[in-house]
Amino acid sequence: MSQSDKFFARANSLLERLEQLLPPAPKQVELENSSTAALTWKYNKGRGYFCAVRQKGDIQLADLQSIDRQKALISRNTRQFLEKFPANNVLLWGPRGTGKSSLVKAILNEYRDAGLRLIQVAREHLTDLAEIYEQLVDLPERFIIFCDDLSFDRDEPGYKSLKVILDGAISHTPGNVLIYATSNRRHLTPEYMSENQQSRMIDKELHLHEGIEEKLSLSERFGLCLAFHPFNQEQYLAIVDHWLRRLAAPEMDKEATRKAASKWALERGSRSGRSAWQFARDWTGRKRLEQQ
C-alpha cells in the first residue's frame, strides 16, 4: 500500500469515529398531512430541514391593542390566501415592540385550524428559499414563510434571493406559499444622507439616486406594507390594562398602577406593547408575592 493510500485509509477511519461521536441528525418533519402548524428551517451537517416548534405562543388577535387597522388588513389577506383567492406577500415595518412579530404569531393561532402553516426562516437561510418552495409546491396546506426582523446590506446573498422570489419568477412561486416579513426599517436596508443628496431635479421631476431606487426595489415587491407606529401614553396604558386583566392581576389602586406603568416605560425609554406586557408580568407577579 502506498503512503497516499495509507493516509486516506487513516483519514477515513478517523472520520468514521468522529461521526459516531456526533449527535444523530434530527428527524425531518413530514409536512404532508402533518398536524404541526409552526416550523423552522434549520441546518444540520450542512443540510437544511424542517423542524417542528414544540412550544407555541398562545397570543391571540384580541391581545393586540391599538393596531386594529393592521390586524384587519393582514387578517383579510390571510383569509383570501386560505380560500385560494389572490393574496399578497406582506411587510410589517416600524419601531421595535409595536406588535409586528406578535401579529404574525396571532394570525397563525387564529387560522391554524383552517389549514394555515407557518415556517420561520432566518435571514442567513434565505438563500434556501427556492429549495424550500420546491418542497412545499405540491402540498395541500397553505404556508406562510415568516422572516422576522429583517435587515440587509445590499450585497448580501439573502437580499438577492428574496428579491428573486418576490419578483414572481415562475419557477419559484408556488400558489400555496406567501412571505410575511417584519423589519424595523421601511426599506429593509440602511438609508444614508449621501444618497438623498445625490437625487436630482430634472425638468421639475425628482429623479432618485440609484442607491435609493435599489432600496425601494425590494420593499415594493411586497404587495401589502403595514406601518406600525409608537404608542402614545393612553394607548400604552390601555395595553397595560389589557395584560393586567389577561394575567388576572390582583385588584389594586388604578392610579397607582398607572403611575408605576408610566415610570416603567420612562425608565426603559419606550412606550411599546412589549414594555407594557413586561410591566404587567412584573406587577402581577410582585403583587401576588406580596399577598402570600
Side-chain angles (χ1 to χ4, degrees):
M1 181 181 293
S2 67
Q3 290 297 321
S4 60
D5 290 338
K6 290 180 180 179
F7 171 79
F8 286 115
R10 292 179 63 187
N12 288 332
S13 176
L14 179 60
L15 288 173
E16 289 175 359
R17 279 181 283 173
L18 285 174
E19 286 181 351
Q20 293 175 2
L21 297 176
L22 293 173
K27 184 179 180 181
Q28 164 82 359
V29 174
E30 296 295 335
L31 294 179
E32 190 167 7
N33 300 320
S34 172
S35 60
T36 302
L39 308 104
T40 58
W41 179 255
K42 291 191 174 183
Y43 261 78
N44 183 274
K45 298 181 179 180
R47 297 189 62 182
Y49 65 97
F50 295 111
C51 178
V53 176
R54 299 186 182 279
Q55 294 182 339
K56 59 181 185 296
D58 63 349
I59 190 162
Q60 305 297 318
L61 287 174
D63 291 326
L64 302 174
Q65 306 290 303
S66 301
I67 54 170
D68 292 341
R69 178 179 178 274
Q70 295 90 331
K71 285 196 297 184
L73 289 174
I74 197 171
S75 293
R76 185 187 66 192
N77 191 73
T78 305
R79 292 198 308 271
Q80 291 171 204
F81 177 55
L82 290 170
E83 294 294 338
K84 302 182 180 180
F85 300 148
N88 279 304
N89 298 306
V90 182
L91 173 63
L92 305 88
W93 67 275
R96 68 188 188 280
T98 47
K100 303 182 297 295
S101 300
S102 296
L103 179 51
V104 176
K105 295 170 186 175
I107 284 291
L108 173 63
N109 289 332
E110 181 76 11
Y111 297 109
R112 60 190 302 147
D113 292 340
L116 186 64
R117 301 290 181 263
L118 187 78
I119 302 174
Q120 185 161 358
V121 178
R123 184 183 69 177
E124 59 269 24
H125 297 154
L126 289 176
T127 51
D128 295 336
L129 280 176
E131 178 185 347
I132 293 171
Y133 274 26
E134 287 178 4
Q135 297 190 47
L136 305 179
V137 64
D138 294 323
L139 299 179
E141 292 82 7
R142 313 294 281 177
F143 295 93
I144 288 176
I145 303 295
F146 179 36
C147 306
D148 195 23
D149 197 21
L150 282 187
S151 179
F152 295 106
D153 289 326
R154 192 176 69 177
D155 295 329
E156 285 188 51
Y159 175 90
K160 296 178 181 178
S161 297
L162 187 57
K163 278 188 67 174
V164 170
I165 291 293
L166 292 173
D167 201 31
I170 295 176
S171 59
H172 297 309
T173 52
N176 63 335
V177 183
L178 286 180
I179 293 177
Y180 284 9
T182 71
S183 179
N184 293 340
R185 290 171 168 162
R186 170 67 178 87
H187 302 304
L188 302 169
T189 56
E191 299 183 23
Y192 302 105
M193 179 64 72
S194 59
E195 294 171 341
N196 289 319
Q197 292 173 339
Q198 294 177 55
S199 298
R200 297 176 299 163
M201 292 293 293
I202 300 178
D203 294 332
K204 297 183 180 181
E205 291 186 357
L206 179 63
H207 289 253
L208 299 176
H209 180 257
E210 63 181 15
I212 299 177
E213 292 283 5
E214 176 65 21
K215 297 177 191 299
L216 293 173
S217 71
L218 177 58
S219 60
E220 287 186 348
R221 282 170 165 79
F222 289 91
L224 185 59
C225 292
L226 303 179
F228 290 69
H229 305 287
F231 299 118
N232 61 34
Q233 178 76 349
E234 287 306 310
Q235 289 173 326
Y236 167 73
L237 292 175
I239 297 170
V240 168
D241 288 342
H242 168 81
W243 282 115
L244 289 174
R245 292 192 300 271
R246 183 85 145 76
L247 295 171
E251 290 290 335
M252 302 295 298
D253 178 77
K254 186 171 183 179
E255 189 59 31
T257 304
R258 290 169 68 91
K259 286 182 178 179
S262 297
K263 181 180 178 183
W264 179 280
L266 184 63
E267 290 174 344
R268 283 153 184 78
S270 172
R271 284 195 301 250
S272 67
R274 181 181 296 126
S275 182
W277 176 74
Q278 291 169 343
F279 168 78
R281 288 178 59 85
D282 178 80
W283 184 259
T284 301
R286 196 172 0 141
K287 295 308 174 182
R288 286 181 180 172
L289 194 62
E290 291 174 359
Q291 290 180 346
Q292 282 189 347

